[in-house]
Amino acid sequence: MKVTDHIKQAKGKTLFSFELIPPQKGRSIQELYDNIDPLMEFNPPFIDVTTSREEFIYIDRDGLLDKKLTRMRPGTVGICASIKHKYNVDTIPHVLCGGFTKEETEYLLVDCHYLGIDNIMALRGDAMKEEKYFNATEGGHCYANELVGQIVNMNKGQFLHEVIESDNQSDFCVGVAGYPEKHMEAPSMDSDIRWLKQKVDAGADYVVTQMFFDNKKYFDFVEKAKAAGINVPIIPGIKPVAVKRHLQLLPQVFKLDMPDELVRAVEKCKTNKEVREVGVEFAIQQSKELMEYGVPVLHYYSMGKSDNIKRIAAEVF
Ligand code: FAD
């Protein structure tokens, strides 16, 4: 079922959902199941599975280094299919512009359609580790709005190189990313909102936000988006702080601000166990306020660990 239909069906009740990262190549999918199992009692209507960018590895061949491109956490669509099958829940693969030609994207979307996947999260993708900025893949899309266009065209039977009339067309519901504190590359919040509007005009059905710790930033973002004519659901993304290093890492990677109250509380902690407690408490308060505001879904970035998300969900849902 589409995310937008889950939201309609909930009739104003806030839903619970979360995002998973595929295990590293060679590891077991059981790791994921072990983290999903404790969260199923909160009835997530959908679960997102991320896609990682490809990266270079260097293989030592008799003293000479061979540079190879590989994806360390492959399997997004397969994981979506297996979770959907095992738990009878909708799963949402993250589909990236980066690392994929338009043809490869088309084949991936065809696979998703055959697997009964109803939603796609359409993203440009991060820059590769070695790159300072995102470089479009040859034959791929440069921006997420173009990827949204490809998905919407396919829903109408317009494949890349042919129009196919069929009574079995895809009807994907499309999610896109939004940034309450502006995307790091955007020169201004207004320009970022204009590009977000372009994604929605291209056919995106809902927005999921980057993590944020100050709800006011989300409220302001929603107001700005509405003023710009963006009328699709905007789902907040929540990440509980879990280790002291997050104080530096999260602002550095995601270009976000943390409320001083949270920073001071984490700084006082002597162990990461204490930090986890602070992170859980903060996320509970943050989630409760967002729920009061009437958000359609609270979407948690689990980063492969469910114990703190379970504690938050138990207090909030
Ligand atoms: P876009 O919407 O294409 O925007 C990228 C930048 O270009 C922005 O600064 C925007 O303002 C600007 N812009 C947009 N369109 C245009 C245009 N037509 N012309 C000029 N400028 C334009 N990354 C992963 O690699 N894998 C994941 O699974 C993943 N999941 C994510 C899930 C969520 C909910 C979020 C919020 C992010 C996720 N990301 C993921 C990170 C995301 O890929 C990066 O933030 C990326 O840098 C931007 O992606 P986007 O889809 O927002 O890009």
Side-chain angles (χ1 to χ4, degrees):
M1 192 162 128
K2 294 180 176 194
V3 166
T4 45
D5 289 336
H6 281 297
I7 291 172
K8 268 184 223 144
Q9 207 178 62
K11 296 198 172 93
K13 186 171 164 271
T14 301
L15 300 168
F16 163 77
S17 80
F18 59 96
E19 177 185 292
L20 295 167
I21 301 172
Q24 286 206 339
K25 199 155 50 185
R27 297 186 73 114
S28 161
I29 196 168
Q30 187 60 42
E31 282 179 26
L32 281 187
Y33 297 156
D34 290 345
N35 278 296
I36 296 171
D37 287 341
L39 299 178
M40 289 317 286
E41 66 176 278
F42 306 106
N43 299 317
F46 57 89
I47 299 171
D48 278 55
V49 183
T50 63
T51 293
S52 64
R53 280 303 307 268
E54 69 281 26
E55 56 191 90
F56 286 110
I57 54 164
Y58 297 87
I59 300 159
D60 191 343
R61 296 203 197 280
D62 299 329
L64 286 176
L65 290 181
D66 201 0
K67 189 178 176 187
K68 294 280 179 206
L69 200 55
T70 190
R71 217 172 275 273
M72 303 308 277
R73 294 176 183 270
T76 300
V77 172
I79 291 169
C80 281
S82 63
I83 295 175
K84 185 174 160 57
H85 177 70
K86 183 171 163 63
Y87 297 96
N88 193 21
V89 64
D90 279 303
T91 46
I92 309 182
H94 289 194
V95 175
L96 306 182
C97 303
F100 296 87
T101 65
K102 293 174 197 170
E103 278 77 10
E104 285 165 341
T105 299
E106 185 168 284
Y107 307 145
L108 188 153
L109 293 172
V110 168
D111 285 345
C112 290
H113 182 41
Y114 287 150
L115 290 166
I117 289 170
D118 294 327
N119 303 276
I120 300 286
M121 184 73 186
L123 298 147
R124 188 195 70 177
D126 288 325
M128 282 173 65
K129 267 191 195 149
E130 296 76 7
E131 294 172 345
K132 198 150 187 231
Y133 301 104
F134 176 87
N135 282 309
T137 296
E138 207 182 323
H141 296 294
C142 296
Y143 293 105
N145 69 294
E146 300 167 12
L147 175 57
V148 174
Q150 180 178 0
I151 302 167
V152 168
N153 280 342
M154 198 173 133
N155 283 348
K156 293 186 215 147
Q158 291 168 17
F159 289 76
L160 286 176
H161 307 304
E162 60 268 274
V163 175
I164 300 174
E165 296 218 357
S166 150
D167 53 8
N168 182 35
Q169 268 163 13
S170 62
D171 186 20
F172 292 119
C173 173
V174 184
V176 290
Y179 302 85
E181 298 181 59
K182 163 180 112 48
H183 183 257
M184 64 184 89
E185 294 163 29
S188 69
M189 179 55 113
D190 286 347
S191 83
D192 209 24
I193 295 265
R194 280 198 297 279
W195 293 122
L196 179 62
K197 170 85 164 55
Q198 203 190 39
K199 290 194 275 196
V200 173
D201 289 347
D205 299 288
Y206 69 97
V207 176
V208 182
T209 77
Q210 185 57 273
M211 67 181 75
F212 58 89
F213 293 91
D214 179 351
N215 284 349
K216 190 169 180 311
K217 307 245 169 156
Y218 169 82
F219 301 144
D220 290 349
F221 176 68
V222 170
E223 288 310 315
K224 279 205 166 92
K226 277 190 191 151
I230 296 169
N231 293 312
V232 298
I234 300 182
I235 298 173
I238 309 291
K239 155 103 189 90
V241 169
V243 288
K244 215 165 202 176
R245 216 166 85 79
H246 279 162
L247 286 191
Q248 285 77 42
L249 196 69
L250 299 178
Q252 192 189 342
V253 174
F254 300 107
K255 303 288 175 285
L256 49 78
D257 266 351
M258 285 186 171
D260 202 39
E261 167 206 355
L262 174 62
V263 176
R264 282 172 188 267
V266 173
E267 278 171 353
K268 269 195 212 144
C269 295
K270 298 216 165 46
T271 62
N272 276 335
K273 192 162 174 267
E274 284 175 31
V275 175
R276 241 175 143 66
E277 290 301 310
V278 168
V280 165
E281 267 317 307
F282 189 86
I284 289 171
Q285 298 316 321
Q286 193 185 1
S287 303
K288 283 185 173 168
E289 192 185 23
L290 288 164
M291 206 182 226
E292 260 172 46
Y293 178 81
V295 297
V297 183
L298 284 165
H299 185 71
Y300 293 91
Y301 294 109
S302 80
M303 308 274 184
K305 295 266 188 297
S306 60
D307 56 327
N308 51 357
I309 309 292
K310 183 180 161 106
R311 287 182 51 205
I312 297 160
E315 285 293 324
V316 177
F317 291 91

